[in-house]
Structure formats: C-alpha cells, structure tokens
Amino acid sequence: MGSTNSTLLKIPNVEVLMQETGFSPAHIIRLHDRFKALDKEGRGHLCPHDFGAIKELAMNPIGDRIIGAFFSPGKETVDFHTFVKILAHFRPVDKDRPKEPNSPEPINSRSNKLKFAFQLYDQDKDGKISRDELLQVLRAMLGMQVTDEQLESIADRTIQEADLDRDDTISFEEFRKACKHKRFTMFRFCIRPGERKLMLTLCHWSSELQDQHEL
Amino acid sequence: SKLSSVFSLSLSLYPVIELNHHVISVVPESGLLIILGFILGGIVWGADKAQTFKLLPPTFFYYLLPQIILDASYFMPNKLFFSNLGSILIYAIFGTCWNAATVGLSLWGCYEAGVMGNLDIGLLQFLLFGSLIAAVDPVAVIAVFEEVHVNEVLFILVFGESLLNDGVTVVLYNVFDAFVALGGPRIDAEEIFKGIFSFVVVAFGGSFLGVVFAVLLSLLTRCTKHIQIIEAGFVFVVGYLAYLTADMLSLSAILSVTFCGICCQKYVNANMDEKSVTTVRHAMKVLANGSETMIFVFLGITAIDTEIWVWNTGFILLTLLFVFIYRIIGVFLLTWMLNKFRLVPIEVIDQVVMSYGGLRGAVAYGLAAMLDKDKIPEKNLIISTTLIVVYFTVILQGITMKPLVQWLKVKRAAHADLKLIEKLNNRAFDHILSAVEDICGRIGDNWWTRGWNRFEENYISWLLMKPKARKNRDYLFSIFHKLNLEDAVNYVSEGERQGSLAFIRSDEVANVDFKKQFGSEFTDVMPDIMVDMSNYELGIENFSVTSIVKDTIPSVSLDIHGKDRKNVADDINAHHLLQQHLYRSRKNHRHKFSRSHFSINQSEDEVQEIFQRTMRSRLESFKSAKMGVNPAKKITKHHKKDLTHKVKDFHDASFTWIAQLYKGSVTIKMNPVFLPAMDSPTHSSLPWLMETDAVAPSQRAQWRLLWTPNRLRRLAPMRVSTCSTDSFLMADLEEHEEKPQTDHEEEIFQSGPPKKHSCRKFH
C-alpha cells in the first residue's frame, strides 16, 4: 500500500533493519508507531523515563532490569534501530532458516534469547552470575515475606544445583545447560487480517523435550 | 412474612453449613442450599400437605434478583470487563441465540419424530422453551466459580456473558411469547423484523437507562458532602430504581442495573466518604449473599410440590443432552472465530471450562413460572424440566467443576522435578514476556482507549467527581495514602505493644492534631494522627527527643531482628520457598470478584509490593545520581488557581522519570514523597534512607519502613489543594522559582525539609 511504503521510507536504513531482525515491513511500521508513541517529546530516541512512563513496567519485579537491557552500557538513549533489534530477540525461532555457515547467528536464535535472559541476571556483564547478582534477582522476584537468611539459602542452593565447575558462579554454559529442557516459544507477531495492526500473542513455555531444529 | 421466615431460617442454617468445610470443598454452597431447600420443602409439605412456600416470579424478579446483579456489577473489574467486552458480547448475543435456536429446534425435531409421546406443544413453544433455558445464569455462575479459581479472563468471559445475555433472553422470551399468542400462521417477515428491532431497543435502551442512572447516582454522591450519613443509601435506592424503571419500560432490567453498577462504581467510590464506601460494600454483600441463599433454598423448596411435576422422560433427558452438547459446540465455534481477532487467544482448556460452566439457574425457572398456562398448556412440563436442568447444572456440574479444572490443569502442565534455577527462569521469563508485551503496547494501548481515557479524565470526571476526589485520583497518591494509613496503624500498635504510647506523647510539644495544624484542606487527605512533632520542631539536634527516639529505635528494630533469628533455625526448604513466594506474572493473577470477600486479593498485594519496591529503587538511584551534584530545583505552589505554571523541564533522567511515570504526559504531578528536598546533601530527606546510628534494622525492618517517629516524616503533609496560600509553604519561598504548569493538572508540592516548615507554621 502506498501509505505503508511512505512510512517505511521515512525510517532510515529500514532494509538493513529488516534483514538483520527478520521483521516484516508491517511489523516494522507497527513498532515504529509504538516507538513514536513512547517518545512523547519527539526526540527520535528513548530515554529511561520514557520506559518508566509505562505504568505496567513498574509493577513488574524485573521491569527495571529489562528497561536497562535496552540501553547499551554507557549509552543514555535508545534509537529506533536498537529498539527493534532488542525486540527481535522475541521473535519466534525461524525453523526453516537455511544454515549458512558464514552468516551471523540471527538475533532470535535460541542461543541469543538465552543470552538476553542471562544478561538480565548478569548485571556487571562479566559473563558469570555471581552469588550477589543471584541474590539481587531473587530479592526482586520473591515476596517480602522471605527473610534474608532464607534468601541466601535459596541462592546457595541454586548455585549448588546449577554450578558444574564449582567456581561458585553460574556461567553462560551452565545456564544454558540448566535450561536445556525448555523450549523458547516466545512472541509470535502476526498481522490481524485486513488491518495494519499487530496481533501479539504470547506462547507459554512448554516443557517439551529439546527441539531438534534449534542449534 | 413467608419470605422473612424462610430468610431467617436459611440464614441461621448457613453457619451450620459453613462449619463443615469438608462438605463445602466438594459440593458448592449453592448445591447444598438446594438440598437444604429440599429438606425444608419436605418439612412444609409434610405439615401442610401442599406447598405453601413457593418462589413466585414477582418475588424473585423484584425482591431477590436486583441486589445480586447490583452487587455483581458494583464489584465488577471494569478494566477487564471492557477490554474483553467484544468477546463477551459475542458470547452473550450469538451464543444465547445459538443455544435457544438449536435446543428449541432439536427438541421440536425429536418431538416430531415421536420420541416424546403426545404433547400439546408446537414449534413456537419449543422455541420459547429454548429461549428461556438457553441463558447462562449469573447467580449460578458466581456461586460456582467463586469456589473454583480460574484465571481472570476466563472468569470475566463467563460472568460477563451471564450478565449481558439477559438482554437477549428477555427479547427472545417476549418475542416468542408474543408469537405464541399470535399463533403460527400470522408470523411473517414483519413480525420477525419487529423482533430484531425490539432486541435493539430492549438491550440498548436498558443499558442506556443504566448509564443514565449511574450518572444520576454519581451526581448525587458528588453533592452529599454534608449529609454523608445517608450517602450509602443512595446507591441501593438508585440501583433499584434503575431496575424498576427499566422493567416498567419493558426494557432489560438486568442490563440496566448492570450498567448502572459498572459505570457508577468509580465515581461513587471516589466521591463518598470512606465510611460510606465501606458501608455500601458490606451491605451490598449481605444483601446479595442473603438473596442468593434464599434463591437456592427456594429452588429446592419448590421442587417438593406434587402439583407441578410432570414427567416426560424423553423431553427431560433430551433437554439435558441438548443443553449440554449445544453449549459445548457453541462455545468452541464462537471461540474459534473470536481467536482470529483476539489479541490473547482463549485456550482450549478455558473453552472447556467455559462450556462446562454454562450453568442455568433461577432466572430460567422464574421465566418458566411466568408462562401463561392458557397459552402454553404444557407449562408444568416446562417447569419440571427447567428445574431438573437447574439442579443438574448447579449440583452436578458444580460438584464436578473443581475436579475437572484441577484434572485438566494437572494434565497439561506436568512437570518433572525442576531445578531451582529452572523454576526461577520460568517465572523470570513470564515476567520478561509481560514486560516486553507492555513495551510493545498491548490491548489497552490503542488510539481509542487512550482517547477515551483522556475524554473521561477531562470531561466526565470533572462532571461526576468531587473536586477533592479528582485530585486524589492519582494512583501513586492513593498507594501512598494507603501506605501511610497502614504504617500509622502499625506504628501505634507497635508502640502499644512496647508498653505505652508515652514516647509519642512527649512533653515537648503537645500532640499535634493535623486538622488544627494544617487546616481543613488536609483532613480529607490525611488521617487524623497523633504524632510527636517535636523532632519536626527541633530537629535531630534536640537531645531529649533524640534519646526517646533512640530508645525506641533499638527496641523496635531488635524486636524485628529477633523474630528473624528465630526462623533461621528451621530447616529451610529452598524449593518450597521459591514456589511459594515468587511473584506471579500478570497472566497468573487470580480473578478479583468474590461473593464473600472483597478485600484486596493476593495479586493486588503483590502488585503493590512490587510497585513500591520499584519506586524506592528508582528513587535511590535518582538520589545517588543527584547527591553532591546540583540540588534539585525547588517547586513551590503558585498562589492562584488560574495561574498556569509548568514545571521546569528537568532533563535529569531519573527525576522526570519518576514524575512522569504515572501520568505518561509531559505535565508533571509532583508527589512530595518522591520529591526529595535537596537543599543540602547532609539532610537525608528520604526518610527511609536516613541513617541512624542505632542498631541497624534488618533489611526486613527497613522495608517495613517507618517504625520510628523520625521516620514518620514520611507522613509529612502533602499539599493537595491549590487555593489558599498556606503559611507553611510560604516559609520556603527562599529559593523558589516559578514554574509554569498546564491548566488541567493540579500541583502537589512540597518544599524544603520538614524542619523548615515548623519554623513558621505554628504561629
């Protein structure tokens, strides 16, 4: 449609974006609309307080961490490209993707999804989840009734179960192994018939066995 | 008199049932009440040899049903309801029509096939019967679903359907009743068209009338500042008036009350005094519970009456079969269509529960009893069948509902023994997905919803809410207020446990009555609190006060610490703990409507807890960012209401972040608790971050915040009103800068640390 194309043209480097992320033009447009809606002052990039304005995120125990995931270390703003790239993590895995040996791994590969989740735990980005970091996450996700001692014992137990090389931290490999049995069926973006709207559906984690299609 | 005797009898037996929890957990209360009705009916029958206690339709429709519907609509979770309204309407309208048509036609087909023997009945009468048996009953649904906790969306779909299908039921019933009166041959396209037209009139007319009464009620409560004692009564009176008026105009009365309750709840709750709100809630629950009890008991009693029973095996069994099957088919068909359009599809298991939850109840019986015997000779057969269907659905389906739900859920989500990290991840992923969903914009985030919200905020609330209430609409403020109340209560009860409230009543300064100190503007906002204001007066440097304060801190903190230490000794099962206490993500939250409890459910507690925590951590990060750098610019209130001031554009990320977070708009509504006074870094203005060199409270104690008079600083007055020039705010005009602000927003200010306030205000 004419309007679709014109909107697309307004977004810089949109082809590269679509190539990298795998989103269709309609998805990009939808996300762009959303980006503009969030960016109330029309600056062309998002700041933490734009995310903070989303009330539901304040009611999410790890909402602030997720907001932080959008901002690369040192950067204070998120532009549209980064925004879309981060959200691309949540696309469903492309099962029919031809495996080219030289092309970079797609953003929504299982491994990258796991990395995203891992980085939410690992705030100092050293590649390992230390006991302290784990404590912080646990504190955020558990109710107030849990005392500190209980929290520490849970953290200790968690590390004990997942840590294989006995270094008292959980590395990415150990994390990945621990999540072996889960299938990451995350967001499924679909287009509502006849309209430009994006229908977001949420697929639940299923406890099926490891998917052979994935890496 | 008969009514009241049955009422008191059944209510007195109520506690007996309650005592036997084992029974309750298996058989739903409604089922038990019906059985009780059987017993009572048997007693009366034995005594009188005739059933003198009967549920007459007028009694039911005018005295028992309205309050149940009013209760249901008054406590309806509006946001959930409206976001699923499309689906609800589809189920209500098309689902009911489908049920009516299929059941009626199938029965007629079977009759023609000769299965039922000889009956004096025709196609139209079958259709009439179909229409009255088709409707899912709100009373029964509430009764059964209350005990079976299903997820919010599922609940609202069934519940909403049961409320809204009355529009269809009434129309179908009246239309077919009229058709039966007319006789078969005279029905032509014109009549059918009139039927459809009447649906539109009845349904929309009823709803519109409900909205009109909701507006009336809101306006009434807006004007009752001086007669607060009778406010509560208005709700019931106007609600009932809505019902009667609609009935009088032959519109859908249930729809009228439903929309009256739904639309008025927000404004009425905001306008009325808190005591009135509580009164209304309690009274509503009493009436609704009482009515429901009586309805079910009566349903049981009316069974014990040999006059009405006409047994026709074919008819009855086929009805049961068809009602059941066509409900399932209807639900699955409609859901399949709906899922193409819904943002969050309805899962199969939910569809199963929905079809199984299509309970028929007293409304069907009432309609059956209202049939004209002359026009419909087989009235007794219809009544008998209706009763059997009602018993079947309420008792049998009610009993098996819970096991079914559990069985289905268990079957679906069988997990192997998961490691802790996996359990943690599961939940974390839920949260992540909810968050990303929110970032991408969900159901409520389209243009229409935002536009409506803006319209509602600016025009409707202006009309229907008290000005004071409008100011307090702020979500953050209301949480803050609730927290203050809680803390104040805890503070006092903690103090009492320590022995006496002597440390409050210090002889430094007399007890401060907020009312006197800060004028009546605050009283609506702040609770009456007797607080030791001496540290406000004299600051921490005053030793005598500090010593009292210091004395109390250790004891309180240590006490909490001590409690913690006791628990450590227990063997902590990490898995169990994790399972129990992980915060639930949005999709796992339970439904909020309940017949017997209206207190905040656990989900809301959790959400509030998370919200508070997030706010605190944001503040801390802001504080650490700001410390030692530039002091925050002070905001002071302006003097005249019509001066437009805009808060200066703070480019500091965290600061505006906090300020904008709940308005999402450029204009900033300052909530002083989040506005630290930053005139000098040495004043640790955020109470909960204040250092004391007493025993460091445990983290739990810190989270619990304000156990000490010192920390009651959080209860420092907040400016809510805009009108007067209050002296204590004038006190801090030193470094103020006038900031412009847009018209619509009122400003809430605080300036300077409380210490400064005290200097001038007490004169």
Side-chain angles (χ1 to χ4, degrees):
Chain A
M1 265 133 262
S3 60
T4 320
N5 283 336
S6 63
T7 327
L8 266 180
L9 287 172
K10 285 191 210 135
I11 307 168
N13 296 333
V14 72
E15 268 98 46
V16 178
L17 197 60
M18 290 199 289
Q19 172 80 359
E20 276 177 355
T21 59
F23 281 125
S24 75
H27 294 150
I28 300 276
I29 292 172
R30 167 69 169 85
L31 289 172
H32 193 244
D33 285 343
R34 178 60 176 167
F35 184 85
K36 274 195 291 187
L38 285 175
D39 177 20
K40 293 189 175 71
E41 291 160 38
R43 283 176 307 224
H45 55 82
L46 297 175
C47 297
H49 68 252
D50 291 319
F51 286 101
I54 305 171
K55 194 164 94 166
E56 286 81 15
L57 279 182
M59 300 197 245
N60 191 312
I62 47 178
D64 286 349
R65 280 171 188 252
I66 295 167
I67 296 176
F70 277 83
F71 296 86
S72 339
K75 288 196 78 178
E76 292 267 310
T77 59
V78 181
D79 63 355
F80 182 61
H81 277 243
T82 324
F83 183 70
V84 174
K85 283 213 200 103
I86 304 265
L87 288 178
H89 281 105
F90 295 96
R91 279 193 57 240
V93 178
D94 299 316
K95 295 207 179 130
D96 307 320
R97 179 178 51 88
K99 289 212 173 102
E100 291 158 40
N102 294 330
S103 64
E105 216 177 289
I107 303 183
N108 60 335
S109 72
R110 190 168 191 272
S111 170
N112 278 329
K113 290 186 207 245
L114 272 171
K115 256 192 221 144
F116 183 85
F118 186 79
Q119 271 159 8
L120 285 179
Y121 290 87
D122 178 21
Q123 291 284 305
D124 59 5
K125 310 249 189 299
D126 61 354
K128 292 176 187 294
I129 304 175
S130 69
R131 186 170 173 275
D132 274 335
E133 287 167 339
L134 189 62
L135 266 176
Q136 282 175 30
V137 177
L138 281 171
R139 179 75 273 172
M141 294 205 8
L142 284 167
M144 301 285 215
Q145 313 90 306
V146 181
T147 63
D148 289 341
E149 291 83 0
Q150 291 171 326
L151 209 63
E152 289 182 14
S153 81
I154 295 176
D156 288 329
R157 186 75 197 269
T158 310
I159 294 186
Q160 189 189 21
E161 283 177 357
D163 190 16
L164 301 169
D165 56 3
R166 305 269 160 247
D167 62 350
D168 240 8
T169 62
I170 302 179
S171 70
F172 181 59
E173 275 312 307
E174 289 158 357
F175 185 79
R176 191 212 283 248
K177 283 210 189 83
C179 300
K180 200 164 56 148
H181 295 294
K182 294 290 157 209
R183 183 141 74 113
F184 284 65
T185 46
M186 288 167 125
F187 273 64
R188 190 162 31 106
F189 289 104
C190 324
I191 302 291
R192 194 194 283 204
E195 277 186 20
R196 229 169 66 162
K197 279 200 123 183
L198 203 67
M199 187 171 91
L200 240 55
T201 56
L202 192 64
C203 305
H204 54 273
W205 304 107
S206 64
S207 55
E208 292 174 18
L209 293 171
Q210 189 175 14
D211 189 7
Q212 285 91 11
H213 293 295
E214 293 170 335
L215 301 163
Chain B
S1 54
K2 278 187 200 156
L3 202 67
S4 48
S5 52
V6 174
F7 181 52
S8 30
L9 190 62
S10 52
L11 279 190
S12 59
L13 284 167
Y14 203 64
V16 174
I17 302 176
E18 280 295 333
L19 288 174
N20 198 341
H21 286 295
H22 293 298
V23 189
I24 284 281
S25 56
V26 175
V27 186
E29 214 173 275
S30 41
L32 282 178
L33 287 171
I34 291 184
I35 294 173
L36 176 70
F38 288 153
I39 300 173
L40 280 177
I43 295 174
V44 174
W45 175 258
D48 287 351
K49 292 292 180 261
Q51 189 52 269
T52 42
F53 275 99
K54 262 204 249 240
L55 181 61
L56 299 167
T59 316
F60 172 68
F61 280 112
Y62 292 114
Y63 300 123
L64 293 177
L65 188 59
Q67 50 264 43
I68 297 182
I69 308 294
L70 187 62
D71 169 67
S73 59
Y74 193 77
F75 291 102
M76 174 83 77
N78 268 357
K79 207 163 154 201
L80 198 59
F81 179 73
F82 282 109
S83 63
N84 287 299
L85 189 60
S87 312
I88 292 178
L89 281 174
I90 297 284
Y91 284 121
I93 300 177
F94 294 106
T96 315
C97 288
W98 161 267
N99 279 338
T102 51
V103 171
L105 288 172
S106 309
L107 281 175
W108 178 67
C110 292
Y111 171 69
E112 292 293 321
V115 183
M116 295 176 207
N118 249 339
L119 293 170
D120 184 5
I121 205 167
L123 168 65
L124 284 170
Q125 293 171 4
F126 274 115
L127 285 173
L128 178 59
F129 174 61
S131 67
L132 69 86
I133 203 80
V136 177
D137 187 74
V139 182
V141 163
I142 297 171
V144 171
F145 271 74
E146 165 137 351
E147 286 154 38
V148 179
H149 294 298
V150 296
N151 66 59
E152 285 187 319
V153 175
L154 173 59
F155 175 73
I156 202 70
L157 286 175
V158 183
F159 186 45
E161 181 200 341
S162 68
L163 282 178
L164 296 189
N165 65 16
D166 181 65
V168 183
T169 309
V170 163
V171 171
L172 283 177
Y173 182 81
N174 287 328
V175 161
F176 284 120
D177 207 30
F179 281 4
V180 167
L182 279 179
R186 294 193 38 203
I187 297 169
D188 51 6
E190 189 198 333
E191 297 292 329
I192 296 180
F193 179 72
K194 270 206 259 177
I196 297 178
F197 182 68
S198 71
F199 162 69
V200 173
V201 170
V202 163
F204 288 101
S207 318
F208 179 69
L209 197 63
V211 174
V212 166
F213 276 100
V215 170
L216 176 69
L217 183 57
S218 314
L219 285 173
L220 270 175
T221 50
R222 183 186 164 160
C223 310
T224 53
K225 186 166 173 194
H226 301 288
I227 37 170
Q228 281 176 344
I229 200 75
I230 62 168
E231 272 185 323
F234 279 131
V235 179
F236 297 99
V237 167
V238 175
Y240 195 45
L241 199 59
Y243 187 87
L244 291 177
T245 314
D247 198 70
M248 186 176 74
L249 298 171
S250 309
L251 303 172
S252 167
I254 292 185
L255 278 183
S256 172
V257 175
T258 304
F259 279 95
C260 181
I262 286 177
C263 298
C264 81
Q265 33 159 283
K266 178 175 165 185
Y267 307 106
V268 163
N269 282 331
N271 285 343
M272 290 203 298
D273 182 41
E274 278 188 36
K275 295 193 201 104
S276 302
V277 172
T278 316
T279 310
V280 166
R281 289 163 133 192
H282 281 94
M284 193 87 83
K285 289 295 178 191
V286 168
L287 284 176
N289 265 310
S291 299
E292 192 186 301
T293 310
M294 284 208 287
I295 289 176
F296 284 115
V297 171
F298 263 121
L299 275 179
I301 292 180
T302 44
I304 316 295
D305 183 2
T306 46
E307 289 175 4
I308 59 163
W309 284 101
V310 175
W311 187 269
N312 183 319
T313 322
F315 191 85
I316 293 178
L317 286 179
L318 281 171
T319 309
L320 277 174
L321 182 71
F322 288 138
V323 158
F324 192 65
I325 290 184
Y326 285 119
R327 170 77 182 163
I328 298 178
I329 297 177
V331 165
F332 275 84
L333 242 154
L334 286 174
T335 317
W336 174 76
M337 281 189 335
L338 273 175
N339 275 343
K340 293 195 194 301
F341 298 94
R342 277 180 63 94
L343 271 75
V344 179
I346 302 169
E347 301 173 11
V348 175
I349 178 185
D350 290 345
Q351 293 172 42
V352 171
V353 177
M354 222 191 297
S355 27
Y356 203 68
L359 308 171
R360 273 62 172 180
V363 173
Y365 170 74
L367 290 173
M370 276 194 336
L371 291 172
D372 190 344
K373 187 89 190 241
D374 304 320
K375 282 191 262 171
I376 300 161
E378 295 290 345
K379 175 180 170 180
N380 280 336
L381 175 61
I382 291 182
I383 292 184
S384 317
T385 317
T386 310
L387 279 176
I388 302 255
V389 171
V390 170
Y391 296 148
F392 184 82
T393 54
V394 173
I395 302 181
L396 234 99
Q397 280 180 238
I399 294 181
T400 50
M401 175 78 85
K402 207 166 176 183
L404 179 75
V405 170
Q406 283 172 344
W407 178 69
L408 283 172
K409 287 221 162 81
V410 167
K411 192 177 161 217
R412 278 181 77 236
H415 16 231
D417 223 1
L418 294 170
K419 293 195 218 155
L420 276 174
I421 186 81
E422 287 174 317
K423 287 185 189 169
L424 191 66
N425 276 341
N426 275 344
R427 195 48 61 83
F429 297 150
D430 273 347
H431 288 305
I432 295 175
L433 293 178
S434 303
V436 176
E437 220 177 30
D438 291 325
I439 291 176
C440 287
R442 269 191 94 220
I443 305 171
D445 195 54
N446 55 25
W447 187 83
W448 291 108
T449 324
R450 272 186 277 135
W452 165 257
N453 281 336
R454 228 175 301 138
F455 173 72
E456 195 266 333
E457 231 171 76
N458 294 335
Y459 299 106
I460 302 186
S461 293
W462 170 83
L463 178 69
L464 297 178
M465 267 206 228
K466 278 187 191 152
K468 205 137 288 172
R470 251 183 305 144
K471 285 175 217 155
N472 299 344
R473 255 180 318 173
D474 197 69
Y475 178 66
L476 211 60
F477 180 94
S478 61
I479 288 195
F480 177 78
H481 182 51
K482 248 185 261 186
L483 286 177
N484 273 346
L485 282 173
E486 260 177 49
D487 288 333
V489 169
N490 287 335
Y491 175 61
V492 170
S493 54
E494 188 64 37
E496 281 179 337
R497 261 191 349 111
Q498 300 298 320
S500 81
L501 293 173
F503 66 100
I504 292 183
R505 296 196 187 89
S506 98
D507 30 38
E508 297 293 338
V509 175
N511 292 318
V512 174
D513 190 347
F514 260 106
K515 229 179 278 196
K516 274 186 276 178
Q517 290 304 328
F518 304 118
S520 56
E521 274 131 13
F522 287 114
T523 55
D524 299 325
V525 172
M526 297 298 298
D528 280 355
I529 281 194
M530 308 295 257
V531 160
D532 181 359
M533 298 295 283
S534 49
N535 44 319
Y536 289 157
E537 287 278 1
L538 308 160
I540 309 174
E541 298 82 53
N542 179 298
F543 290 111
S544 53
V545 175
T546 328
S547 61
I548 298 173
V549 165
K550 274 198 166 157
D551 284 338
T552 50
I553 296 179
S555 53
V556 172
S557 307
L558 270 179
D559 197 49
I560 295 172
H561 239 313
K563 264 189 270 179
D564 287 349
R565 290 215 188 91
K566 276 182 225 145
N567 290 335
V568 177
D570 303 337
D571 195 25
I572 301 168
N573 183 346
H575 280 260
H576 178 68
L577 269 174
L578 203 68
Q579 210 94 43
Q580 284 255 306
H581 293 290
L582 274 174
Y583 284 132
R584 284 176 295 187
S585 71
R586 189 172 48 219
K587 60 181 187 138
N588 289 326
H589 281 172
R590 298 239 168 114
H591 71 85
K592 298 185 176 71
F593 180 80
S594 161
R595 171 49 49 74
S596 29
H597 319 282
F598 49 71
S599 50
I600 299 172
N601 70 352
Q602 193 198 354
S603 305
E604 209 175 299
D605 272 339
E606 275 185 10
V607 166
Q608 279 205 10
E609 214 173 74
I610 299 173
F611 190 70
Q612 289 164 44
R613 240 187 203 167
T614 313
M615 288 303 117
R616 277 187 215 127
S617 72
R618 284 184 185 177
L619 269 170
E620 283 183 38
S621 70
F622 161 64
K623 185 170 179 278
S624 58
K626 284 295 288 178
M627 269 312 208
V629 192
N630 311 316
K633 313 229 179 354
K634 283 206 202 135
I635 320 289
T636 58
K637 69 168 190 59
H638 59 240
H639 306 296
K640 287 184 207 148
K641 206 172 178 180
D642 48 7
L643 270 178
T644 56
H645 290 176
K646 190 170 73 202
V647 179
K648 196 154 179 190
D649 196 14
F650 289 86
H651 291 289
D652 185 85
S654 322
F655 191 66
T656 44
W657 184 23
I658 294 163
Q660 287 180 352
L661 61 84
Y662 49 91
K663 267 302 164 191
S665 60
V666 180
T667 56
I668 295 181
K669 226 180 190 186
M670 294 302 191
N671 194 313
V673 70
F674 297 114
L675 185 58
M678 293 298 240
D679 57 312
S680 72
T682 51
H683 282 286
S684 177
S685 51
L686 295 175
W688 53 85
L689 296 176
M690 198 154 51
E691 296 310 308
T692 62
D693 31 341
V695 173
S698 76
Q699 191 178 7
R700 185 138 151 251
Q702 276 180 357
W703 286 122
R704 287 326 240 148
L705 290 183
L706 321 167
W707 293 106
T708 68
N710 241 350
R711 297 180 173 189
L712 263 176
R713 195 176 286 183
R714 193 176 76 156
L715 294 174
M718 284 184 306
R719 288 300 282 118
V720 177
S721 84
T722 51
C723 321
S724 67
T725 57
D726 207 36
S727 58
F728 90 99
L729 280 176
M730 296 292 281
D732 303 294
L733 286 179
E734 326 157 43
E735 275 172 48
H736 79 274
E737 300 158 60
E738 296 272 71
K739 318 258 183 289
Q741 196 186 36
T742 63
D743 311 325
H744 296 298
E745 305 306 324
E746 284 103 21
E747 57 299 52
I748 306 172
F749 299 112
Q750 184 187 15
S751 40
K755 179 180 165 190
K756 285 200 180 154
H757 295 166
S758 50
C759 303
R760 301 196 203 171
K761 65 179 187 287
F762 294 130
H763 306 312

